[in-house]
Amino acid sequence: MPTSTCLPSPELADQLVELARLEWTPGATAAAAERFGWTPVQDEECHLPFCYYYEADDFDEELATGGLNGNIDWLEKHYAHDPGWRFERDSGRAHFDAQWRAAVALFTQRLGKPEVTVRHEKGKSPWYYAAWRCAGNALVVGQCTDSGSYMTFEQALVWIAPYPAGRPFPGAGGFDSLIEC
């Protein structure tokens, strides 16, 4: 099954860590985003998807059997126009999980060992989460559904938001609702 991937570069990872270490007072994240050359962001939370996973269903097979283009063909054409993203038609779930591990390694180099690393058994395949505290914020690298695709895709993303130092991280089953966008 296909994946689409755009892992954060080392420079972007450094910027995300800087963002995670900010005190998120009104305007602080927008000012940082402007300094980084990003589109201004709100001061509530930051979601940065870096990998999508799509598992074909019966409808895809029905379209292919009928000689029609399905979602996988559409995805391949869509990502062909964006040089930052890499589309892999037959990469599979192992590739999706490997991209999560690569992102965790990237942030571990910058923040040290995650405070929490958990695996959540959900559906056919587990989801993984790694979380770091950064002063009054949290940075999480995790997997969840992509609400924007009406739950068609799974995504791996970096999530950053205010998270009080005394607040415990959720258990394995609570991370998806925390980071899902």
Side-chain angles (χ1 to χ4, degrees), residues 78-90:
H78 175 76
Y79 285 104
H81 301 292
D82 190 337
W85 284 83
R86 189 177 72 247
F87 177 80
E88 296 186 36
R89 181 179 280 270
D90 297 313

Side-chain angles (χ1 to χ4, degrees), residues 91-104:
S91 58
R93 181 67 191 212
H95 183 262
F96 179 67
D97 293 338
Q99 298 309 295
W100 175 83
R101 285 190 302 279
V104 169

Side-chain angles (χ1 to χ4, degrees), residues 32-79:
E34 187 175 327
R35 189 172 65 254
F36 301 152
W38 302 353
T39 302
V41 296
Q42 296 179 355
D43 293 320
E44 297 168 7
E45 59 187 17
C46 173
H47 293 91
L48 181 70
F50 59 85
C51 189
Y52 291 98
Y53 173 71
Y54 177 73
E55 186 151 342
D57 57 18
D58 293 341
F59 183 65
D60 288 298
E61 291 175 22
E62 183 180 316
L63 288 171
T65 301
L68 300 172
N69 289 340
N71 286 329
I72 296 172
D73 297 317
W74 178 86
L75 287 167
E76 185 171 28
K77 288 178 188 172
H78 175 76
Y79 285 104

